[in-house]
Each structure stands twice: as C-alpha cells, then as structure tokens.
C-alpha cells in the first residue's frame, strides 16, 4: 500500500486551502502561524500538522475571524473553534472546506457534523449536487497534482456512499412507486467506481421508479437470467474507466440481452463524453450529466 503523504510544499498548501502562497508567507512571517522545515536549498516543506492548521485558519478566516485574532489562539483552541463553526455552517464553500479538513484528518465526526448541519437547510439531493459534486471535482484535481493520497479520496467517498445507502433505504421503505418501468443499474466488468451509479439509484427512487441495483463489475452475460423474471427492464450503466472498447461492450449487450427484443441502455460517465449520440442505435441513450437525466424523469 502507498504511504500517506507526510510532507507538503507551499504550493500544496495553496492548492488545498485556496490561499495564495504569497499570503501564506506573509501570515507565516507576521504571525508565526506555521513552522516549516527547510531543505538544504532553503525550500519550505510542511508536515501534516502545518497542513491541518492552515486549513483550520483558512476556514475560520472565511467565516469572519481576523487572522490577527486566530494567531493568538493555541492549536487546540483553533481546532475547537473550527468544529463549532462547521457545525452551524451551511454555506457551500465553507462546507466544502470543512469536508476537505475531515478528509485530510480522517475525521468522520467532523464529516458527519458538517453533513448534519447541511441537512437542516438542504435536501440530500441538493447536498449532493451543490456540495458533493463540486467537492469531488476539487478532490480529483488534488489527487492529480499529488497533493493528496488515494487513501484520502477513498475515505471521503466511503462516507458519501454511507449517506447514499441510508437515503436509498429510506426511499425504498416509503414505497409508493408510480411508474411500472423497472430500471436495472450495473457497472461493466472491471469498473469499480460506483458512486455515480449509486447516486442514479437514489435519483430513480426519489422519482418513484423501481430499481434493481447490481453494483460494480457485472458480466453482461449473467444478467440474462434476470430477464427470465423481468423481461423488459431499462438498463443503466456508468462508464468511468471501463470497458476498454465501448463498441464491443455495446455489441455484447445487444447479443446477450436483446435476443427477445431491443432493451434500452442509458450510459453515463467519462468514457462516453466523446461519443456522438446521433451515431448510436435508437435504444442507446447518452447522458452528459446526472442533472440531464434527473430532469428527464420529472
């Protein structure tokens, strides 16, 4: 397993906190808020404690606390104040920063407090669209620039999935489905990124559509047994890294599942963004975003 990153450059701190490196240097010099090490070539390096502190300070500063006041507080006092402010914050940027701090610190308690605070003013649907999706986009950039380790992303996504499973279960318990159509959600073989398909399952249940969720890495040939009980479902898949050849995937879908009649297949994800919808068979529907699909259900 890869080691968790322990040392950060000032550019890493800039990427994570949103504070310009120049400002960080000023805060460091004027208020002595950070204690970086220096390499033999006099380049600043910061440990995890420094990273956590700059994130905490940035969070408080964005919530109206002056840097001069924050600098007088001890590290435990700063951390305590952050949790108190985060618990009552519902602003998008503040919530995203709070979730980033929870990710960096592996702090499930802070994640849940921030999430529960958002629930006081927002539905889960709005939290996902307005907070989680922008947050994931930021996390993707941080991962690509080696600012965070994959273990951070896995921790955060795991907590998001917990909330998705909880909300889906609540909707299923409510019942009252108004549509006779059945939607089967699956990921192709070797595709394990299931957050998107899980959220689609939530959206369908929210709109009172019946679903069967089959999860990641599902062989198409095995789904034909489902047709013995449910002969005409609509299929949905989310293609992030698989399949390697989409044309082969579509051919297999047609060969294995459409022998007794054409079946609708809706596709999402990074792998389909470059496909031309006009060149697809009539039963293949391409969606550039979850929002586009959600609007079609209304």
């Amino acid at each position: 397993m890869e080691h968790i990153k322990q040392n950060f450059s000032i550019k890493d701190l800039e990427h994570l906190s949103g504070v310009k490196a120049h400002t960080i240097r000023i805060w460091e010099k004027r208020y002595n808020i950070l204690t970086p090490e220096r390499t033999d070539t006099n380049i600043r390096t910061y440990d995890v404690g420094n990273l956590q502190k700059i994130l905490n300070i940035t969070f408080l500063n964005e919530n109206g606390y002056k840097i001069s006041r924050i600098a007088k507080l001890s590290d435990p006092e700063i951390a305590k104040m952050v949790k108190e402010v985060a618990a009552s914050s519902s602003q998008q940027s503040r919530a995203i920063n709070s979730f980033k701090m929870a990710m960096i610190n592996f702090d499930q308690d802070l994640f849940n407090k921030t999430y529960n605070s958002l629930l006081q003013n927002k539905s889960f649907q709005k939290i996902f669209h307005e907070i989680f999706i922008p947050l994931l986009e930021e996390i993707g950039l941080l991962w690509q620039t080696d600012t965070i380790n994959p273990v951070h992303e896995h921790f955060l996504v795991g907590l998001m999935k917990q909330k998705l499973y909880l909300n889906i279960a609540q909707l299923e318990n409510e019942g009252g489905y108004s549509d006779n159509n059945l939607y089967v959600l699956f990921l192709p073989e070797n595709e394990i990124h299931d957050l998107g398909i899980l959220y689609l399952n939530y959206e369908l249940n929210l709109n009172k559509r019946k679903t069967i969720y089959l999860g990641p890495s599902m062989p198409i040939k095995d789904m034909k047994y489902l047709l013995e009980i449910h002969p005409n479902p609509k299929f949905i898949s989310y293609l992030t890294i698989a399949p390697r050849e989409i044309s082969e995937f579509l051919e297999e879908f047609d060969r294995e599942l459409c022998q007794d009649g054409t079946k609708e297949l809706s596709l999402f994800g990074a792998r389909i963004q470059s496909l031309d919808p006009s060149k697809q068979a009539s039963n293949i529907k391409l969606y550039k975003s979850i929002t586009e699909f959600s609007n079609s259900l209304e």
Side-chain angles (χ1 to χ4, degrees):
M1 179 180 289
E2 296 181 52
H3 295 293
I4 300 172
K5 188 171 181 177
Q6 296 292 329
N7 294 297
F8 303 85
S9 68
I10 197 166
K11 273 297 181 182
D12 288 335
L13 266 62
E14 180 180 289
H15 290 151
L16 275 164
S17 69
V19 178
K20 294 295 184 182
H22 174 69
T23 302
I24 294 175
R25 292 190 188 97
I26 291 175
W27 288 358
E28 187 179 308
K29 182 177 180 180
R30 184 175 301 172
Y31 301 106
N32 196 32
I33 61 171
L34 300 178
T35 54
E37 300 289 334
R38 289 184 180 270
T39 66
D40 294 338
T41 55
N42 205 33
I43 297 175
R44 291 175 173 84
T45 63
Y46 300 83
D47 61 17
V48 172
N50 280 300
L51 173 60
Q52 292 170 353
K53 188 171 183 179
I54 193 65
L55 286 172
N56 287 341
I57 289 172
T58 302
F59 181 80
L60 292 176
N61 187 242
E62 290 179 346
N63 278 272
Y65 292 85
K66 293 182 178 180
I67 186 66
S68 57
R69 177 187 173 187
I70 300 170
K72 295 176 182 178
L73 301 174
S74 66
D75 289 357
E77 287 172 334
I78 290 174
K80 180 181 178 182
M81 185 178 290
V82 163
K83 289 198 175 185
E84 290 173 351
V85 173
S88 61
S89 171
S90 60
Q91 296 281 333
Q92 179 183 15
S93 61
R94 294 171 184 171
I96 288 175
N97 279 343
S98 183
F99 283 130
K100 284 198 292 187
M101 284 188 290
M103 175 189 68
I104 292 297
N105 297 335
F106 300 104
D107 190 339
Q108 185 168 339
D109 184 55
L110 177 56
F111 178 95
N112 286 327
K113 284 183 177 179
T114 306
Y115 174 80
N116 290 332
S117 176
L118 289 169
L119 276 181
Q120 295 177 16
N121 300 293
K122 297 179 182 291
S123 66
F124 177 75
Q125 184 186 41
K126 284 191 174 182
I127 292 174
F128 199 94
H129 281 272
E130 297 176 7
I131 308 295
F132 284 174
I133 290 179
L135 174 62
L136 288 168
E137 290 172 352
E138 285 194 36
I139 298 307
L141 291 174
L142 294 173
W143 184 83
Q144 290 172 23
T145 56
D146 200 32
T147 303
I148 62 171
N149 188 282
V151 70
H152 293 106
E153 182 181 12
H154 283 220
F155 171 76
L156 186 69
V157 169
L159 292 175
M160 291 180 181
K161 287 182 185 179
Q162 288 180 13
K163 303 307 180 188
L164 269 169
Y165 282 122
L166 176 63
N167 280 275
I168 290 169
Q170 290 175 341
L171 290 170
E172 289 176 342
N173 288 335
E174 291 174 5
Y177 293 98
S178 59
D179 193 322
N180 291 325
N181 289 318
L182 174 68
Y183 295 80
V184 176
L185 299 93
F186 74 101
L187 297 180
E189 290 183 87
N190 301 316
E191 178 65 80
I192 59 173
H193 296 81
D194 57 346
L195 186 64
I197 198 81
L198 265 176
Y199 184 74
L200 286 169
N201 192 18
Y202 165 80
E203 281 282 354
L204 285 163
N205 277 276
L206 183 65
N207 285 277
K208 301 303 180 183
R209 266 60 167 187
K210 298 176 183 177
T211 67
I212 293 178
Y213 181 76
L214 299 179
S217 199
M218 184 71 216
I220 287 179
K221 61 182 177 60
D222 290 341
M223 290 194 294
K224 61 186 178 183
Y225 298 105
L226 183 148
L227 299 180
E228 296 176 3
I229 299 175
H230 302 286
N232 194 35
K234 296 183 177 182
F235 291 89
I236 296 178
S237 196
Y238 206 108
L239 314 182
T240 303
I241 61 171
R244 185 171 61 181
E245 295 293 339
I246 295 181
S247 59
E248 294 179 3
F249 168 75
L250 295 177
E251 289 172 4
E252 184 181 8
F253 177 85
D254 184 66
R255 182 174 65 252
E256 297 290 345
L257 301 180
C258 298
Q259 292 182 358
D260 297 326
T262 301
K263 306 293 188 299
E264 181 178 300
L265 173 62
S266 296
L267 297 177
F268 299 77
R271 296 283 286 113
I272 64 101
Q273 296 302 312
S274 61
L275 296 182
D276 184 349
S278 66
K279 296 182 179 180
Q280 308 306 315
S282 59
N283 64 313
I284 306 300
K285 299 183 179 298
L286 305 181
Y287 289 93
K288 300 298 184 180
S289 69
I290 290 175
T291 302
E292 180 186 358
F293 177 73
S294 300
N295 292 338
S296 72
L297 294 175
E298 296 178 355

